[in-house]
């Protein structure tokens, strides 16, 4: 029994069928608990007022935007090394979710920044890095869409994902050099002196868990769809040959 | 390798449009800027480093799809791939040829265009130096983008979308070096990081580009 057995599409679909209802239910539960607790049962911040509560969407979305790219990097490498189709399709399935998370993080950040910093947008390193990540997602998805042969598309997007990761990371530190930031530093680290207060911390953990589960659910769902779409295309091609 | 370099250079020079066009494009971008932002010399001097770098970068982008496209269409890329020369070497030579016909002339033309934008005195040598160290990275990254999109019918726009985000670090450090020189600060740090990016790109990108070419030629 090893993880590679799930590289078999049939086995993957069977497992996904079994896991999906549970994953979806857990996602809903975690998000409901986290968001309701966060929005209605936490106090207002004494300086930020109720705008502080946008943290419950902003932080988990931003985390998943980066983690989705990291997952695409891992699955791309697995595809290049071991040629499991499920891996390539999972990377393809994750990209639109990742770009949506990036948009949510940028949007909620702008909504929070308008009353707090007095501006919708600031060329702060973190904001800029997220905008760059957004462009990388766009390029990756455009390359998938542009190439007809699915195996060639999987190969080329995997190479792009690896090179893109290096340059996205490089850009992340390059923008630090280029402009000073307004954005607050990390405030969820386990070892830091100054962190978010416990009142916000616990509901935030639920929200983060909810977003992770949401991501897992959506990736499973979309990968299953991609596998089925691939199978339909194969069946149609076979019928066209027979006719 | 020398034969391939000579062939690529001859083709680029004789087919016309190669480096003449990107130089002309650089000139017109720089000429258009004062029309857009107004002719105040102080404003122009402030944005000159960024505009010159951005103009050179865009001019470089124009001719990227020529790196592999024509050879792919007439089949000579297949021959090059089966030749004893490793494909990584082919990529490196072609990127070098691209730099010699675009990056190098752009670098040499930049100080003249800097005069048009009222670039401060101390910045000219650093403009030359930063473009000379930065543009090879642009050519090599461009070769990678060209290798990814070589099989596509209309890959031009997609090529820009793929390559431009990869240009961000080069642009940041290149323009920063010139800006610091223009402000009378020491540009050594960004210039050294820029040189490091170029060195790493030139060393590693041919492998990624050759991998992409192999996939497209399969």
């Amino acid at each position: 029994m090893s993880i590679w057995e799930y590289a078999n599409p049939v086995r993957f679909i069977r497992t996904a069928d079994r896991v999906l209802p549970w994953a979806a239910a857990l996602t809903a539960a975690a998000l409901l608990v986290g968001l309701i607790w966060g929005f209605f049962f936490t106090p207002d911040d004494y300086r930020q007022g109720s705008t502080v509560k946008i943290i419950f969407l902003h932080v988990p979305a931003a985390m998943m935007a980066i983690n989705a790219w990291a997952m695409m990097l891992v699955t791309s490498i697995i595809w290049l090394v071991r040629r499991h189709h499920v891996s390539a399709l999972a990377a393809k399935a994750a990209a639109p979710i990742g770009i949506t998370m990036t948009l949510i993080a940028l949007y909620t950040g702008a909504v929070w920044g308008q009353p707090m910093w007095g501006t919708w947008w600031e060329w702060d390193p973190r904001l800029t890095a997220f905008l760059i990540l957004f462009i990388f997602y766009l390029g990756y998805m455009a390359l998938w869409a542009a190439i007809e042969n699915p195996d060639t598309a999987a190969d080329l997007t995997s190479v792009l994902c690896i090179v893109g990761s290096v340059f996205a990371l490089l850009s992340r530190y390059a923008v630090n050099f280029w402009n000073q930031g307004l954005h607050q530093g990390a405030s969820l680290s386990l070892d830091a002196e100054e962190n978010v207060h416990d009142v916000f911390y616990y509901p935030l953990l639920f929200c983060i868990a909810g977003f992770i589960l949401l991501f897992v659910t959506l990736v499973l769902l979309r990968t299953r769809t991609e596998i089925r779409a691939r199978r339909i295309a194969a069946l149609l091609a076979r019928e066209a040959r027979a006719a | 390798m020398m034969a391939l370099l000579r062939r690529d250079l001859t083709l680029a020079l004789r087919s016309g449009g190669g480096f003449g066009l990107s130089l002309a494009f650089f000139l017109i971008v720089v000429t258009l800027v004062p029309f857009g932002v107004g002719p105040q010399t102080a404003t122009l001097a402030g944005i000159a480093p960024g505009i010159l770098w951005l103009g050179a970068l865009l001019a470089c982008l124009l001719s990227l799809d020529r790196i592999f496209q024509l050879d792919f269409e007439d089949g000579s890329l297949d021959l090059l791939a089966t030749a004893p020369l490793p494909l990584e070497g082919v990529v490196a030579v072609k990127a070098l040829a691209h730099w010699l016909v675009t990056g190098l002339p752009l670098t040499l033309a930049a100080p003249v265009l800097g005069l048009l934008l009222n670039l401060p005195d101390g910045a000219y040598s650093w403009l030359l130096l930063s473009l000379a160290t930065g543009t090879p990275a642009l050519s090599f990254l461009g070769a990678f983008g060209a290798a990814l999109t070589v099989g596509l019918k209309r890959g031009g726009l997609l090529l820009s979308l793929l390559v431009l985000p990869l240009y961000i670090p080069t642009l940041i450090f290149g323009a920063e070096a010139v800006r610091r020189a223009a402000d009378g600060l020491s540009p050594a740090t960004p210039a050294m990081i820029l040189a490091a990016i170029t060195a790493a790109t030139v060393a590693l990108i041919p492998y990624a580009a050759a991998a992409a070419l192999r996939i497209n030629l399969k």
Side-chain angles (χ1 to χ4, degrees):
Chain A
M1 185 67 201
S2 86
I3 190 161
W4 301 117
E5 289 185 18
Y6 297 102
N8 178 338
V10 178
R11 206 180 161 110
F12 178 87
I13 288 193
R14 207 185 307 143
T15 316
D17 282 342
R18 213 175 309 134
V19 172
L20 263 174
W22 294 98
L26 273 176
T27 306
L31 279 181
L32 274 177
V33 171
L35 290 178
I36 291 177
W37 185 358
F39 285 158
F40 300 109
F41 298 101
T42 53
D44 286 354
D45 186 83
Y46 83 100
R47 269 183 310 178
Q48 303 179 36
S50 56
T51 57
V52 70
K53 292 176 180 177
I54 218 159
I55 189 179
F56 299 114
L57 287 174
H58 181 72
V59 172
M63 287 173 85
M64 292 323 293
I66 298 168
N67 290 344
W69 186 277
M71 179 222 137
M72 281 157 54
L73 176 63
V74 172
T75 49
S76 295
I77 294 174
I78 292 176
W79 159 251
L80 284 180
V81 175
R82 299 193 57 138
R83 314 301 291 176
H84 296 316
H85 283 88
V86 172
S87 186
L89 291 178
K92 183 186 182 187
I97 309 170
I99 200 172
T100 312
M101 295 288 182
T102 315
L103 262 184
I104 294 175
L106 285 172
Y107 174 76
T108 52
V111 168
W112 180 86
Q114 209 284 326
M116 286 303 116
W117 293 342
T119 170
W120 295 101
W121 182 259
E122 175 70 37
W123 288 98
D124 161 276
R126 280 194 192 218
L127 275 63
T128 315
F130 255 74
L131 192 61
I132 295 171
L133 182 65
F134 181 74
I135 300 171
F136 271 106
Y137 271 121
L138 273 186
Y140 179 86
M141 286 164 59
L143 190 61
W144 259 114
I147 303 169
E148 274 170 34
N149 182 331
D151 277 4
T152 312
D155 282 338
L156 291 178
T157 50
S158 300
V159 176
L160 176 68
C161 185
I162 295 170
V163 175
S165 303
V166 175
F167 277 85
L169 209 62
L170 192 60
S171 309
R172 170 75 184 88
Y173 291 98
V175 290
N176 273 342
F177 186 87
W178 158 82
N179 198 355
Q180 303 303 315
L182 272 178
H183 200 290
Q184 52 270 60
S187 51
L188 295 176
S189 325
L190 293 175
D191 55 349
E193 293 274 311
E194 214 171 301
N195 264 336
V196 157
H197 194 277
D198 280 356
V199 171
F200 300 116
Y201 192 61
Y202 292 115
L204 185 55
L205 285 185
F206 272 95
C207 286
I208 292 172
F211 266 74
I212 294 173
L213 285 164
L214 177 68
F215 177 71
V216 171
T217 311
L218 290 176
V219 167
L220 283 177
L221 193 69
R222 290 183 54 87
T223 312
R224 195 177 66 175
T225 314
E226 291 285 348
I227 294 173
R228 286 181 177 157
R230 185 72 70 88
R231 194 170 290 163
I232 290 169
L235 284 176
L236 285 176
R238 195 181 303 162
E239 267 186 22
R241 263 203 305 277
Chain B
M1 282 180 101
M2 282 311 291
L4 182 59
L5 182 63
R6 208 172 304 129
R7 167 185 172 274
D8 270 20
L9 288 178
T10 322
L11 276 178
L13 294 179
R14 295 208 183 136
S15 66
F19 81 134
L21 259 185
S22 22
L23 269 182
F25 181 81
F26 191 22
L27 172 69
I28 198 147
V29 166
V30 171
T31 316
L32 286 181
V33 169
F35 299 137
V37 301
Q40 298 85 1
T41 45
T43 319
L44 287 180
I47 59 172
I51 296 297
L52 288 167
W53 251 93
L54 205 55
L57 187 148
L58 293 175
C60 192
L61 193 68
L62 273 187
S63 50
L64 285 181
D65 55 340
R66 285 171 160 251
I67 299 184
F68 296 119
Q69 195 66 43
L70 297 175
D71 286 348
F72 180 75
E73 278 165 9
D74 68 9
S76 41
L77 200 57
D78 292 296
L79 291 180
L80 287 172
T82 49
L85 179 65
L87 200 51
E88 286 80 2
V90 173
V91 171
V93 168
K94 284 188 156 291
L96 178 65
H98 178 262
W99 180 72
L100 286 174
V101 294
T102 50
L104 190 61
L106 289 174
T107 306
L108 297 177
V112 184
L113 299 178
L115 282 175
L116 289 179
L117 293 178
N118 196 31
L119 186 73
D121 279 340
Y124 284 92
S125 52
W126 284 99
L127 179 68
L128 264 178
L129 196 67
S130 75
L131 279 172
T133 46
T135 43
L138 302 184
S139 286
F140 274 76
L141 287 172
F144 171 62
L148 281 179
T149 54
V150 73
L152 298 172
K153 291 278 184 302
R154 281 179 295 277
L157 206 56
L158 180 64
L159 176 63
S160 327
L161 181 60
L162 297 180
V163 165
L164 282 177
L166 301 177
Y167 279 178
I168 291 171
T170 315
L171 174 64
I172 287 179
F173 291 112
E176 181 75 20
V178 185
R179 197 176 311 127
R180 289 198 179 182
D183 294 345
L185 303 166
S186 161
T189 316
M192 281 191 279
I193 301 176
L194 178 69
I197 291 175
T198 302
T201 308
V202 169
L204 297 176
I205 278 291
Y207 292 97
L213 272 185
R214 280 197 196 96
I215 296 161
N216 269 324
L217 289 174
K218 210 158 37 186

